[in-house]
Amino acid sequence: MTNNSSLYQQNDDSIRVAVLSEALPYIQKFAGRRIVIKYGGSAMTKQSLQEAVFRDIALLSSVGAHPIVVHGGGPEINQWLTKLDIKSEFRDGLRVTTPETMEVVQMVLLGKVNKQIVKGINKVGALSIGICGIDGKLIQSRCLGDGSHGLVGEVSKVNADILEPLIAKGYIPVISSIASSEDGITYNINADTIAGEIAAAIGAEKLILLTDTIGILKDQKDLTSLIRHIRLPDVRKLIEQGVVNGGMTPKAQCCIRALAQGVGAAHIIDGRIPHSLLLEIFTDKGIGTMIVSRG
Ligand SMILES: Nc1ncnc2c1ncn2[C@@H]1O[C@H](COP(=O)(O)OP(=O)(O)OP(=O)(O)O)[C@@H](O)[C@H]1O
Ligand SMILES: [Mg+2]
């Protein structure tokens, strides 16, 4: 090693040590706390990003926080519906779900996506376990609204008891957004909605929604219009005004419900940025949009 390169090495080392040291107050703050992470959008489809997310989740767990993962799987479901030549349409940001579509949604989410995430987290040294709303009756559901979205459900009850022994033993629950009603009908529920309800039911400190946009934009064509910090009533206004629409609607709504039920803060962040989770949790500035009840 030349003198110059050993100097660079020293610099690299001091930066690394400084960064670690700065993270200490955040590590202490979140030790023992629950953080619900909705994993969706591009962060899910690109392999290099997938690995970064799994490492972040494992890191959170090894520094004593309790991550709980809820996942969607829109792009993967679309691929399979196309392969099987099944048409599917979105209304109000939700997939209209026929019985035929429901079969595919269930097979793809539970059989493929869930296990891929569990495997990915296990591979980087943490221990995760995959379940869906049906397991242990974690989530009871009913048909959404007048049924015009088909088998799209809403949450009628959360039985978070099943999560407690898993969390206590250090397992990271990975939850698919499928649930069943009392009379045994299986429903497809938006994963944002599930994440919000789970966060509320387990008294999470934070709800973090990873997506494929930088956060809530005032104008979707203008990335400089990112809203960094917003209070609950103003989020409601953005929905009423139609500024928030499509896939952002269930996100905004689930944040509202989670915060109203006591979750400390909700964040909508860009899953396309490597390690966006750690940037959000372990830095002062954070990234994306932070939603709080007041203040
Ligand atoms: N005001 C807004 N600011 C930013 N994005 C918005 C806004 N209103 C609507 N959107 C749309 O919401 C989308 C994010 O929701 P979407 O459902 O597509 O992603 P996801 O939930 O992360 O993925 P998945 O549903 O597959 O899990 C954005 O890509 C954008 O098109
Ligand atoms: Mg979505």
Side-chain angles (χ1 to χ4, degrees):
M1 191 183 274
T2 64
N3 282 345
N4 264 350
S5 62
S6 84
L7 203 65
Y8 284 131
Q9 178 69 44
Q10 269 181 15
N11 275 343
D12 275 1
D13 285 348
S14 10
I15 291 169
R16 204 168 292 138
V17 170
V19 168
L20 267 175
S21 171
E22 275 167 31
L24 179 63
Y26 298 100
I27 293 175
Q28 287 167 329
K29 180 174 173 198
F30 291 110
R33 302 297 171 94
R34 293 150 182 216
I35 301 176
V36 173
I37 299 157
K38 152 72 194 312
Y39 180 43
S42 302
M44 237 175 149
T45 41
K46 227 174 138 191
Q47 203 181 343
S48 58
L49 286 175
Q50 276 179 11
E51 256 180 57
V53 173
F54 299 152
R55 290 182 72 90
D56 291 358
I57 292 169
L59 190 145
L60 282 172
S61 169
S62 31
V63 297
H66 296 297
I68 291 104
V69 180
V70 178
H71 68 90
E76 188 100 26
I77 293 167
N78 288 342
Q79 270 177 28
W80 280 93
L81 287 173
T82 308
K83 275 187 204 173
L84 296 165
D85 202 19
I86 299 171
K87 305 259 172 310
S88 150
E89 118 188 56
F90 276 85
R91 207 177 299 150
D92 317 312
L94 302 169
R95 185 192 300 278
V96 177
T97 307
T98 62
E100 202 184 18
T101 306
M102 187 64 226
E103 270 193 336
V104 179
V105 170
Q106 185 165 341
M107 286 192 282
V108 173
L109 285 187
L110 307 190
K112 189 147 191 271
V113 181
N114 186 282
K115 293 309 146 210
Q116 218 171 329
I117 300 171
V118 170
K119 243 178 9 183
I121 298 175
N122 289 351
K123 194 174 158 207
V124 291
L127 266 186
S128 64
I129 188 155
I131 55 174
C132 75
I134 302 172
D135 295 289
K137 290 193 174 177
L138 172 62
I139 291 156
Q140 294 273 275
S141 66
R142 60 177 168 237
C143 186
L144 175 75
D146 61 1
S148 60
H149 290 83
L151 291 169
V152 173
E154 62 183 4
V155 176
S156 54
K157 197 173 159 205
V158 181
N159 166 29
D161 286 356
I162 181 174
L163 296 178
E164 294 301 335
L166 301 178
I167 296 171
K169 290 255 181 221
Y171 287 102
I172 301 172
V174 176
I175 303 166
S176 300
S177 54
I178 298 223
S180 159
S181 63
E182 282 289 5
D183 47 5
I185 299 172
T186 305
Y187 287 106
N188 174 24
I189 305 183
N190 183 278
D192 301 320
T193 309
I194 300 256
E197 296 296 335
I198 295 273
I202 63 169
E205 185 72 23
K206 269 185 192 295
L207 166 64
I208 302 183
L209 308 172
L210 282 174
T211 185
D212 57 5
T213 176
I214 60 174
I216 301 182
L217 297 161
K218 276 190 205 135
D219 172 0
Q220 284 183 59
K221 286 187 227 81
D222 176 9
L223 293 183
T224 63
S225 71
L226 173 69
I227 300 172
R228 292 200 160 273
H229 198 268
I230 186 166
R231 293 174 321 117
L232 267 194
D234 297 324
V235 181
R236 288 199 185 96
K237 274 186 212 149
L238 290 182
I239 299 176
E240 278 160 26
Q241 292 160 354
V243 172
V244 159
N245 53 56
M248 192 54 75
T249 311
K251 284 186 208 310
Q253 280 167 340
C254 83
C255 292
I256 293 172
R257 279 185 59 80
L259 290 171
Q261 293 176 79
V263 173
H267 304 257
I268 299 173
I269 66 171
D270 195 342
R272 298 166 304 180
I273 301 173
H275 303 294
S276 52
L277 261 179
L278 298 188
L279 281 169
E280 182 54 61
I281 295 169
F282 292 129
T283 66
D284 272 337
K285 204 157 167 244
I287 55 170
T289 301
M290 177 179 187
I291 309 172
V292 291
S293 318
R294 62 179 77 85

